[in-house]
């Protein structure tokens, strides 16, 4: 309305005075609307003429947006969630206001200030419930730490068991110069009956010993948890205000991570294979994160060597101390995850997803559980049958088909309608195409959408009208489709094979505007979400 007032007042000296009868008669609703519409037409025509004279080229999606406001567009996007705003989102008992609705809306529209990412990410990734109090989060944090330590002990048990069967010294007794998993040879034939898997036998015996040690600890934890949680029963439960509260399945993790590995078909041989790949990938991590984690950059060589020794990391003489420390932390967390989710284990590409989390989260336990929350959706990208990847590529293809039939027909002509050329974007969630800061900005918006879906925020028709872009679990796929649509002219006019499109997609690194990408993705969500 301020813009309209300026437009009407600026035309004062040049506009002709209204006729006397018009000035004396009160304006009717219809006449007021006609006047308002004329102002809008004049404003839009002037803006279009100015934009045509500008050298910048607008997105093909922006031309068809029809005036819809995006929470990520440059004119609409707010600043990042600041430290002050973050502190004001909490009530006195430590619960988020409005069940976290306002919090998610702020993150969704501008991302998170780097200074508070380590505090915010556990909420976005489901480590902490949006309705939890401070004391409940303290209990969760303590339980998570104990569970992570158990996972690390299981990693050592598996390594020790394998080494002992091969006549090697236990891992905990090896010196840095003697520790090397890559030199392990195949185990000699075991005298145990062929009906029993020897790997499983040793594994289960070690697990039973670990259970005996931890049994009393679990009892103590249960008693203290009941005592502390009883203090919170009288606290105010803040309902979701002004948002839809449909019941949604909450993020839960496996009750017994030990049972996952021992009851699965995985063996310690699988674990040792994962270990070798994890070590190689960890040492190859891009140093781009360094500028975003100054505390880890200042780590001493002694600390880095101790961390590397603790996880059996070798061949790192060519790396700086901070890179060695970062790689060692990644090894510890990825090994623990391979035990936690034994059906997935470890696949190349997971290290790309973990590296930004390790850079932001200084505590290994916190980083591990954030990674678990991240992998809740991303784990489908690493299935051996690639069913999850094919499903997502099919959705990207469907979005392009519904939005731009001309481009889709060209892709069909090139036999590229399966959108295999965006395979890498899907697997590592734009990690290779965007800078570190752009990546975490995109992920934060994506996590906020997924958290809103889990909490049932914005799912009703009225909430969709208010939010305009409904939260979706597949925001990444809309962003990938938007990325392809931004290159539609180049693809149609110049490229005659899928290999050329693939090279174009792989060369996008550092050339994408993440907020423009999200703006175009929003347009796709608004228009195609229900159809897709």
């Amino acid at each position: 309305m301020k813009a309209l007032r300026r437009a009407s007042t600026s035309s004062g000296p040049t506009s002709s005075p209204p006729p006397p009868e018009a000035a004396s008669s009160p304006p009717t609703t219809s006449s007021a609307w006609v006047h308002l519409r004329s102002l809008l037409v004049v404003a839009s025509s002037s803006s279009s003429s100015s934009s045509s004279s500008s050298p910048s080229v607008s997105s093909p999606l922006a031309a068809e947006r029809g005036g819809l406001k995006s929470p990520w567009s440059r004119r609409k996007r707010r600043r990042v969630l600041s430290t002050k705003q973050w502190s004001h989102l909490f009530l006195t008992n430590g619960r988020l206001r409005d069940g976290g609705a306002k919090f998610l809306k702020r993150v969704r529209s501008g991302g998170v200030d780097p200074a508070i990412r380590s505090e915010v990410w556990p909420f976005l990734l489901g480590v902490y419930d949006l309705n939890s109090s401070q004391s409940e989060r303290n209990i969760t944090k303590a339980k998570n730490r104990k569970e992570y330590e158990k996972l690390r002990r299981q990693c050592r048990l598996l390594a020790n068991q394998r080494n002992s069967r091969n006549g090697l010294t236990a891992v905990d007794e090896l010196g840095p110069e003697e520790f090397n998993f890559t030199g392990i040879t195949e185990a000699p034939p075991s005298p145990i009956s062929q009906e029993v898997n020897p790997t499983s036998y040793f594994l289960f015996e070690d697990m039973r010993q670990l259970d005996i040690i931890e049994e009393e600890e679990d009892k103590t934890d249960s008693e203290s948890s009941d005592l502390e949680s009883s203090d919170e029963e009288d606290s105010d439960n803040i309902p979701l205000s002004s948002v839809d509260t449909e019941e949604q399945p909450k993020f839960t993790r496996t009750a017994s991570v030990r049972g996952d590995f021992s009851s699965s078909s995985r063996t310690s041989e699988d674990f040792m294979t994962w270990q070798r790949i994890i070590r190689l990938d960890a040492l190859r991590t891009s140093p781009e994160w360094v500028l975003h984690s100054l505390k880890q950059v200042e780590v001493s060589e002694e600390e880095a060597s101790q961390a590397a020794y603790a996880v059996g990391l070798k061949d790192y003489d060519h790396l700086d101390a901070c890179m060695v420390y970062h790689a060692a932390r990644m090894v510890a967390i990825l090994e623990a995850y391979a035990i936690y989710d034994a059906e997935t284990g470890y696949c190349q590409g997971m290290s790309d997803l973990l590296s930004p989390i390790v850079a932001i989260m200084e505590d290994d336990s916190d980083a591990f559980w954030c990674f678990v929350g991240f992998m809740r959706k991303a784990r489908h990208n690493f299935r051996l049958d690639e069913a999850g990847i094919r499903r997502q590529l099919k959705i990207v293809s469907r979005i392009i088909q519904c939005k731009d039939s001309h481009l889709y027909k060209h892709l069909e002509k090139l036999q590229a309608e399966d959108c295999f050329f965006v395979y890498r974007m899907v697997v590592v969630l734009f990690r290779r195409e965007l800078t570190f800061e752009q990546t975490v900005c995109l992920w934060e918006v994506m996590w906020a959408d997924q958290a809103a879906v889990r909490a049932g925020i914005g799912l009703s028709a009225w909430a969709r009208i208010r939010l305009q872009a409904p939260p979706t679990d597949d925001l990444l796929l809309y962003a990938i489709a938007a990325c392809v649509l931004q290159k539609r002219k180049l693809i149609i006019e110049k490229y005659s094979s899928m290999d050329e499109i693939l090279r174009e997609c792989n060369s996008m690194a550092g050339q994408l505007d993440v907020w423009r990408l999200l703006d175009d993705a929003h347009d796709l969500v608004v228009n195609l979400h229900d159809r897709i």
Side-chain angles (χ1 to χ4, degrees), residues 272-478:
M272 300 307 291
T273 300
W274 296 333
Q275 276 190 322
R276 288 192 288 270
I277 303 173
I278 287 171
R279 281 158 173 71
L280 291 174
D281 288 352
L283 291 173
R284 297 169 182 164
T285 303
S286 170
E288 189 181 8
W289 64 269
V290 169
L291 296 177
H292 304 270
S293 183
L294 297 181
K295 288 186 178 180
Q296 295 186 55
V297 170
E298 297 171 355
V299 69
S300 66
E301 291 188 7
E302 182 179 0
E303 289 177 299
S305 298
Q306 289 176 352
Y309 168 58
V311 296
L313 192 63
K314 292 190 67 175
D315 302 325
Y316 53 77
D317 294 338
H318 61 291
L319 297 176
D320 294 333
C322 63
M323 293 298 297
V324 175
Y325 184 73
H326 185 82
R329 292 187 63 204
M330 289 185 61
V331 169
I333 294 170
L334 290 171
E335 285 182 358
Y337 185 81
I339 297 291
Y340 176 85
D341 183 7
E343 291 304 320
T344 303
Y346 177 78
C347 297
Q348 287 184 312
M350 289 184 184
S351 58
D352 289 284
L353 305 186
L354 175 62
S355 181
I357 296 178
V358 171
I360 298 299
M361 310 298 295
E362 296 180 5
D363 181 79
D364 282 4
S365 174
D366 293 340
F368 171 79
W369 290 112
C370 283
F371 184 64
V372 169
F374 193 3
M375 288 295 291
R376 175 177 175 265
K377 287 285 294 181
R379 68 188 296 270
H380 302 293
N381 293 356
F382 302 99
R383 289 178 52 173
L384 293 178
D385 59 5
E386 296 191 336
I389 295 293
R390 290 199 299 270
R391 181 195 70 84
Q392 293 176 85
L393 292 177
K394 187 176 180 180
I395 293 176
V396 174
S397 175
R398 176 65 175 160
I399 294 171
I400 295 174
Q401 182 182 19
C402 292
K403 185 63 180 179
D404 193 330
S405 59
H406 184 44
L407 173 60
Y408 185 79
K409 288 178 181 178
H410 182 71
L411 294 177
E412 282 186 317
K413 181 181 177 182
L414 304 182
Q415 296 182 344
E417 71 276 10
D418 58 359
C419 293
F420 186 80
F421 49 86
V422 297
Y423 182 94
R424 189 177 73 178
M425 295 182 188
V426 173
V427 174
V428 292
L429 291 79
F430 270 113
R431 182 65 191 93
R432 304 285 180 87
E433 286 72 29
L434 299 174
T435 65
F436 182 94
E437 186 61 29
Q438 288 178 326
T439 298
V440 295
C441 285
L442 174 65
W443 288 0
E444 284 166 351
V445 175
M446 178 183 72
W447 293 340
D449 256 29
Q450 293 171 357
V453 171
R454 288 197 304 270
I457 297 175
L459 296 184
S460 68
W462 175 244
R464 288 190 182 188
I465 293 173
R466 285 202 319 275
L467 296 174
Q468 296 187 351
T472 172
D473 272 331
D474 295 322
L475 180 62
L476 173 79
L477 305 182
Y478 287 94

Side-chain angles (χ1 to χ4, degrees), residues 112-255:
V112 180
D113 190 314
I116 57 173
R117 276 175 174 154
S118 60
E119 301 176 34
V120 175
W121 283 13
F123 288 89
L124 294 177
L125 291 167
V127 179
Y128 299 144
D129 190 275
L130 293 176
N131 284 303
S132 62
S133 65
Q134 183 61 56
S135 60
E136 289 171 343
R137 291 194 292 272
N138 291 340
I139 294 172
T140 299
K141 186 179 181 71
K143 287 183 176 179
N144 285 349
R145 187 177 300 280
K146 277 186 169 293
E147 196 167 353
Y148 176 71
E149 290 171 355
K150 292 178 184 178
L151 288 166
R152 287 302 307 154
R153 286 201 292 270
Q154 290 177 42
C155 293
R156 290 190 290 270
L157 282 172
L158 287 170
N160 289 345
Q161 167 241 311
R162 173 64 188 268
N163 289 338
S164 62
R165 288 199 299 140
N166 285 273
L168 299 178
T169 311
V171 173
D172 293 338
E173 298 175 358
L174 288 175
E177 70 283 353
E178 301 174 280
F179 192 95
N180 183 13
F181 276 114
T182 58
I184 296 176
T185 57
E186 288 299 321
S190 173
I192 300 177
S193 170
Q194 294 293 328
E195 296 179 357
V196 180
N197 186 322
T199 301
S200 300
Y201 175 80
F202 282 110
L203 176 62
F204 296 150
E205 284 300 309
D206 289 337
M207 295 298 185
R208 291 190 190 101
Q209 294 176 11
L210 187 59
D211 288 337
I212 294 173
I213 296 172
E214 295 169 349
E215 184 177 355
E216 292 301 323
E217 295 180 0
D218 294 337
K219 290 181 180 179
T220 305
D221 294 340
S222 178
E223 293 173 359
S224 60
S225 299
D226 293 340
L227 182 61
E228 293 185 43
S229 60
S230 63
D231 296 335
E232 287 298 318
E233 292 180 357
D234 296 331
S235 299
D236 294 333
N237 293 323
I238 307 301
L240 294 178
S241 60
S242 304
V243 296
D244 183 56
T245 56
E246 294 180 17
E247 184 176 353
Q248 292 293 314
K250 292 186 177 181
F251 169 55
T252 56
R253 51 177 185 262
T254 310

